[in-house]
Amino acid sequence: MVTSSIGDAVRDRCAHCPGRADSICNVICDEDLPFLAAESARIHIPSGRAFIEEGTPAHDFYVLTDGRVKLFNLLPDGRRQIAGFARRGDFLGLAAAKNYAFSAEALGDVMLCRFSHSSIERLTERFPRLQQRLRDEASRELIQMQRRLVLLGRKTARERLATFLVEQSCSMLCRKGRDQLTVPDGPVLVNLAMPRTDIADYLGLTIETVSRTFGLFKKERLITVRGITGITLLEPYRLVDIAEGLG
Amino acid sequence: MVTSSIGDAVRDRCAHCPGRADSICNVICDEDLPFLAAESARIHIPSGRAFIEEGTPAHDFYVLTDGRVKLFNLLPDGRRQIAGFARRGDFLGLAAAKNYAFSAEALGDVMLCRFSHSSIERLTERFPRLQQRLRDEASRELIQMQRRLVLLGRKTARERLATFLVEQSCSMLCRKGRDQLTVPDGPVLVNLAMPRTDIADYLGLTIETVSRTFGLFKKERLITVRGITGITLLEPYRLVDIAEGLG
DNA sequence: CGTATTGTTGACTACCGTCAAGCCCAGTGG
DNA sequence: CCACTGGGCTTGACGGTAGTCAACAATACG
């Protein structure tokens, strides 16, 4: 594959995983692509389909190459907690021992790259840097988890929704930047692209509370809403303050 | 070091980290102990002392060789969320990128083994199995985190405290078994060994709610309390049901 | 255009948080 | 030995935030 810049070279290295520049496949040299291809399989998941079920034997890892995925846990009576949303380039399956510790469902159409655990073993043997990448991925997730614990354990509904909006806007603006809550001074358009039930189950609230809190934000001129999923953050910095409990 | 059984051999392998049989040091062969010793430092932390502060540059990993540690995050106004409690054999510092994503404080006297990041690099180069161990450690933590999200996002105060008690009893009974909520049929004695504020901040509740819920459990003959920290679970299986939302 | 699904709004409720008083117990000093 | 003190825990009264239930509106879809 001929490329003109380092950025492109990295991005285009793997035909299976064209996502993030630091995606799993990009620790691998060009000449090894056939080896990589032999160890993975491309999979298409239609919208709404679950493809990992909590408690089932964990045989595979996945790299999300296109679309979005929600990861969640259920209580026996049906209460649901969404642990997070995965995006293009994300690695799925680290939160598993013998069995998966979560369920995963496509949010819209999804393309995945599947690697069996034994494939990953072979790949890490051949590409030691991959081990490091996996550890970094796990660290990144652990950091996010800590923030989510604070959100669910100690924040009010208002703070939770503000956190969510800022988080979403960060992840839209820049893939790498979503780990810190930095936003521009001016208005930001965010496309939530998920129903209210998902927002509620992610924030540990009910859809009614989510709806009411959106209403408050509108009334306070913090956001404007276009349709259902199109949200414009009018004063992102104020939302950041609210998210941190300073608003 | 002369040992009589495989179990002892594994346990005694590392003079620094005598904890779990699968502790970080035990991927290392006997003859390499001097190398390991050169890469780590033993540290004593007195009760109540904080030794990792959220947001500070992350230079080191730690292995907890004795005592207990609480890991937590703070909001600017002082609200605290305890993310978890580390025990002998646990690995600390994976939830960090450039900076630590959490603070850590000794719960009672603590002995640590400190490894700089560069030490870990050298160690993983020399002992590739260590990479695998670190990944496993991260996976284990991620699995726990998922359960904690459900607890904080979707469980009632009653369910949270029941979960906590079962969790604690599991971790007391068997170091490895704490990932599943299996308890004996008969009464179990649990020593909480932490103040109510810590329980509250771990469960996302107030100390008053924790206290009241303990009171309810007593009244329902689910537990008996000796002093402040000595709890006997009279019907562990019923507590498990409550923890899962079935009680 | 009609139906179904999803979202919004309102009235009411309940769980848990807040505030305050009192308790228990350990440690201290008279 | 006992009173005193202080910190952590418990208990009670009250209030607020978010949940529940229900009706209605908006949107999607055939």
Side-chain angles (χ1 to χ4, degrees), chain A residues 202-213:
Chain A
Y202 177 63
L203 298 177
L205 301 170
T206 59
I207 54 171
E208 291 94 335
T209 299
V210 169
S211 187
R212 275 187 255 271
T213 310

Side-chain angles (χ1 to χ4, degrees), chain B residues 45-51 63-71 82 84-90 92 104-112 148 164-165 167-172 175 178 190-195 198-199 202 229:
Chain B
I45 308 281
S47 182
R49 160 88 56 82
F51 60 96
V63 173
L64 220 179
T65 59
D66 211 19
R68 306 182 72 193
V69 164
K70 57 184 169 200
L71 312 168
I82 294 185
F85 303 97
R87 305 163 53 75
R88 157 184 272 235
D90 277 340
L92 301 181
E105 188 181 311
L107 231 164
D109 270 26
V110 159
M111 289 299 308
L112 295 169
R148 277 167 201 163
F164 174 71
L165 290 174
E167 219 176 58
Q168 291 292 312
S169 77
C170 288
S171 78
M172 295 209 62
R175 185 68 191 66
R178 78 166 162 175
V190 182
N191 184 16
L192 298 183
M194 70 180 76
D198 286 353
I199 301 176
Y202 177 62
T229 59

Side-chain angles (χ1 to χ4, degrees), chain B residues 130-145:
Chain B
L130 180 54
Q131 279 282 20
Q132 184 63 39
R133 278 280 306 120
L134 292 176
R135 235 177 68 201
D136 290 348
E137 198 70 26
S139 283
R140 213 172 53 82
E141 280 193 45
L142 282 170
I143 294 169
Q144 284 183 33
M145 285 298 197

Side-chain angles (χ1 to χ4, degrees), chain A residues 177-242:
Chain A
R178 79 166 162 173
D179 286 345
Q180 57 259 25
L181 298 181
T182 53
V183 290
D185 275 7
V188 192
L189 181 65
V190 183
N191 184 16
L192 298 183
M194 68 180 78
R196 294 289 188 262
T197 47
D198 286 353
I199 301 176
D201 284 347
Y202 177 63
L203 298 177
L205 301 170
T206 59
I207 54 171
E208 291 94 335
T209 299
V210 169
S211 187
R212 275 187 255 271
T213 310
F214 268 126
L216 283 177
F217 284 173
K218 265 193 286 191
K219 207 166 278 174
E220 298 177 43
R221 306 236 156 272
L222 288 163
I223 62 170
T224 56
V225 182
R226 218 178 224 304
I228 288 167
T229 60
I231 312 270
T232 305
L233 315 189
L234 298 174
E235 309 190 52
Y237 37 93
R238 270 192 66 203
L239 280 173
V240 171
D241 279 352
I242 294 170

Side-chain angles (χ1 to χ4, degrees), chain A residues 106-152:
Chain A
L107 231 162
D109 270 27
V110 159
M111 289 299 307
L112 296 169
C113 214
R114 186 180 63 202
F115 300 81
S116 72
H117 284 192
S118 52
S119 286
I120 290 286
E121 296 309 315
R122 280 189 293 274
L123 283 165
T124 52
E125 232 163 81
R126 184 131 161 191
F127 312 105
R129 267 189 64 201
L130 180 54
Q131 280 281 19
Q132 184 63 39
R133 277 279 308 119
L134 292 177
R135 234 177 69 199
D136 289 348
E137 198 70 27
S139 283
R140 214 172 53 81
E141 280 192 45
L142 281 169
I143 294 168
Q144 284 183 32
M145 285 298 198
Q146 308 244 11
R147 276 208 298 272
R148 277 167 202 163
L149 291 180
V150 175
L151 182 138
L152 294 175

